[in-house]
Amino acid sequence: MPSPKDDLTRLIQSLPDESSADEIVRELALHVMIERGLADSDARRTISNDEMGQRIRSWPK
């Protein structure tokens, strides 16, 4: 398994050379969020769409 540094370096290198710093940071953030989501899913730290809908409907208006 590659280290996080190796993983993110590979991601940066796959981007076009013309990428701006903002685009690179955005891609890195998206990658990290996706990895966290997958880890949460693997660890069963998720809720159903129905449960999320109920929680949203309970928010004060």
Side-chain angles (χ1 to χ4, degrees):
M1 179 187 230
S3 73
K5 182 179 177 181
D6 291 338
D7 194 30
L8 296 177
T9 299
R10 227 180 340 273
L11 174 62
I12 291 170
Q13 290 174 339
S14 74
L15 296 173
D17 289 340
E18 307 80 36
S19 298
S20 70
D22 286 342
E23 290 168 332
I24 294 168
V25 169
R26 204 171 15 254
E27 287 296 319
L28 291 172
L30 176 63
H31 178 79
V32 169
M33 287 186 284
I34 289 170
E35 291 298 316
R36 285 181 186 167
L38 291 171
D40 283 343
S41 179
D42 289 345
R44 305 238 186 258
R45 291 186 301 258
T46 61
I47 61 173
S48 69
N49 286 338
D50 290 337
E51 172 65 20
M52 190 70 238
Q54 290 173 1
R55 289 183 185 191
I56 291 171
R57 285 190 293 280
S58 74
W59 292 351
K61 295 183 182 191

